[in-house]
Amino acid sequence: MPEPAPKKAPQPIRVRTFAFEYKTTVRDLPPSAKAVDLWLPVPHSDKSQTISDLKIDSPHAYEVVKAQYNNQMLHLKVKNPSAEPFTVSVRFQAARREHLNPAVAPKSSTVAAKTTEAPDPNMARWLEPDRLVPLDNKIRQWANEVVVQAHARTDLEKAQAIYNHVVSTVKYDKTGQGWGRGDIYYACDARRGNCTDFHAVFIGYCRALGIPARFSIGFPLPPERGTGEVKGYHCWAEFYTAETGWVPIDASEAAKNPAQRTYFFGAHDENRVELTRGRDLTLAPRQQGAPLNYFVYPYAEVDGQPFTSLEQHFYYQDLKLPPSKRK
C-alpha cells in the first residue's frame, strides 16, 4: 500500500509591520472665516493590529479623542484663521495581523490565532439600518430570495450564501457615477461599484435577516513589500453568529481575485490598516454638519459648514521589527 502523503505543516499567522503617514493640507480658507475645525481619523490597536509610535505634527493645538464605536480621531480648532494653508501630519507604526476565524477559515492555509475578542457593546447597532442601507421590505425580500435559493438554514449558511451572491453578481467597476457611496439600491440596480458598494449589499442583506454585520474602513497596502503612496481607501466587513463569533469577509477583494474567493470568507489578509468602524458617524467633538457616511478622509468645517478644500496624501514604508514589537 502506498504510504499516505505527509500532512503539510500549518503556516503561522502572517504579520506585516510598516510605518504610515497621513498628511492633510487645508487650503483656500475664506478671509471672512471666524473658525475652522478639522478632524482626522487616528487608528487604535485591536485584535488585528497594534499601533505604536504615534507622532503628530501640527502648527495648531489639537486633541486626540474617542468617539462612537471606539473610533479615535484628532481634532483641532483654529479661531480667526489665517488664509495661509496649513498642514497636519499623523505618523504611526503598525503591526497588522492576518485575521482568521478558526471556525470558518480554510483549514489548510493557516492556523488562526487563539485570541478572544471582548463582547461588542454595539451589537444592537449592527442590526440596524444605515442611511444608505435601509432594511425595508424590498431588501428583506431580496435577501430571503438569496438564502432560499441556496437552501441556507443556519446563520452561517445564510451569510455564506449572501457572500457568494454578492461576489458572483457584482462587478468591481469604478466607472460612471453613483459608485463609492455604499448605496445598497445603487449597488443592487447597477450590479457594480467599489468595496463600499459590495459591502453595503452584504451588510444590508445580513442585517435584514437578523445577522449582525459591521463595517470597517482604512487603507490597503499592495502585497509587495516596499515603500509607496496609497491612492485611496479600502473597506471590509464582518458578520456574527453565536457559533462562530465575528467572521471577517472581503467581498470586493474576492471579486477582484477569484482565486481568493474561498480565503476571503473567514479571513482578512495583513495588507491593510483599519482607521474607523461604522457608518453615519458622529465625530468628537460633534460636527455641525450631517453624520458622515464613513470616516477615512479628513473632514473640516468653516463656521459650522462643511469645507472641502483639503489635500491629502498617504504613504507607507514596510519595516522589519523585532518579534517583541509584533505582538
Side-chain angles (χ1 to χ4, degrees):
M1 292 179 63
E3 294 188 8
K7 293 183 178 180
K8 292 183 179 180
Q11 299 299 310
I13 294 292
R14 297 192 298 265
V15 180
R16 185 167 186 174
T17 56
F18 53 92
F20 199 92
E21 181 178 18
Y22 186 119
K23 182 180 289 187
T24 301
T25 300
V26 180
R27 300 187 179 279
D28 305 319
L29 286 167
S32 61
K34 303 258 188 322
V36 57
D37 288 89
L38 176 69
W39 291 263
L40 306 180
V42 175
H44 63 272
S45 298
D46 62 17
K47 68 183 183 307
S48 297
Q49 63 188 27
T50 299
I51 305 298
S52 61
D53 298 325
L54 177 67
K55 294 181 175 64
I56 297 172
D57 291 329
S58 170
H60 304 290
Y62 63 86
E63 58 180 344
V64 176
V65 293
K66 289 287 182 74
Q68 291 172 296
Y69 318 131
N70 208 35
N71 291 329
Q72 187 169 256
M73 58 201 65
L74 177 153
H75 170 257
L76 63 81
K77 187 181 191 74
V78 184
K79 295 183 178 179
N80 300 313
S82 163
E84 292 298 314
F86 68 89
T87 298
V88 179
S89 175
V90 177
R91 300 182 184 89
F92 58 89
Q93 291 187 8
R96 179 74 193 194
R97 294 173 287 279
E98 185 181 21
H99 179 196
L100 297 171
N101 183 293
V104 180
K107 303 299 188 294
S108 61
S109 61
T110 55
V111 174
K114 296 182 181 300
T115 57
T116 57
E117 183 176 357
D120 189 331
N122 303 294
M123 190 67 79
R125 171 67 183 91
W126 310 133
L127 284 167
E128 296 174 355
D130 297 318
R131 184 173 59 87
L132 293 178
V133 185
L135 304 181
D136 55 29
N137 289 336
K138 179 61 72 174
I139 298 301
R140 290 190 174 89
Q141 176 189 334
W142 289 344
N144 270 300
E145 288 172 354
V146 168
V147 300
V148 168
Q149 185 175 5
H151 306 290
R153 292 179 173 81
T154 68
D155 283 352
L156 180 59
E157 290 172 345
K158 292 175 182 179
Q160 176 84 69
I162 294 167
Y163 172 86
N164 291 342
H165 168 77
V166 174
V167 172
S168 299
T169 64
V170 181
K171 181 181 179 182
Y172 193 89
D173 181 353
K174 299 193 292 185
T175 60
Q177 296 181 335
W179 63 269
R181 299 175 64 236
D183 182 331
I184 192 172
Y185 270 105
Y186 166 83
C188 288
D189 291 342
R191 310 312 298 183
R192 63 183 179 87
N194 77 343
C195 54
T196 327
D197 307 302
F198 275 79
H199 295 117
V201 181
F202 178 83
I203 288 171
Y205 280 17
C206 281
R207 291 178 181 176
L209 299 178
I211 302 170
R214 62 191 186 190
F215 171 95
S216 293
I217 194 165
F219 291 104
L221 276 66
E224 304 78 20
R225 290 352 187 208
T227 301
E229 183 173 1
V230 179
K231 296 299 185 181
Y233 71 83
H234 182 49
C235 64
W236 48 92
E238 295 171 276
F239 70 91
Y240 181 89
T241 77
E243 293 74 26
T244 62
W246 286 103
V247 177
I249 69 100
D250 195 328
S252 59
E253 284 300 293
K256 289 192 291 182
N257 303 287
Q260 295 280 68
R261 178 169 171 169
T262 299
Y263 173 80
F264 280 118
F265 185 82
H268 290 147
D269 61 29
E270 74 281 14
N271 302 316
R272 61 188 72 206
V273 61
E274 180 178 316
L275 269 71
T276 59
R277 176 172 289 169
R279 299 183 61 181
D280 300 340
L281 295 176
T282 299
L283 306 180
R286 185 185 183 96
Q287 75 272 31
Q288 294 191 47
L292 300 192
N293 187 17
Y294 46 77
F295 184 38
V296 67
Y297 294 143
Y299 176 76
E301 292 182 345
V302 170
D303 300 334
Q305 298 299 314
F307 182 73
T308 59
S309 188
L310 305 173
E311 179 183 304
Q312 58 261 345
H313 295 280
F314 316 106
Y315 306 95
Y316 74 94
Q317 179 180 6
D318 279 285
L319 304 172
K320 290 184 178 179
L321 293 182
S324 61
K325 296 198 70 173
R326 298 179 189 177
K327 296 178 181 179

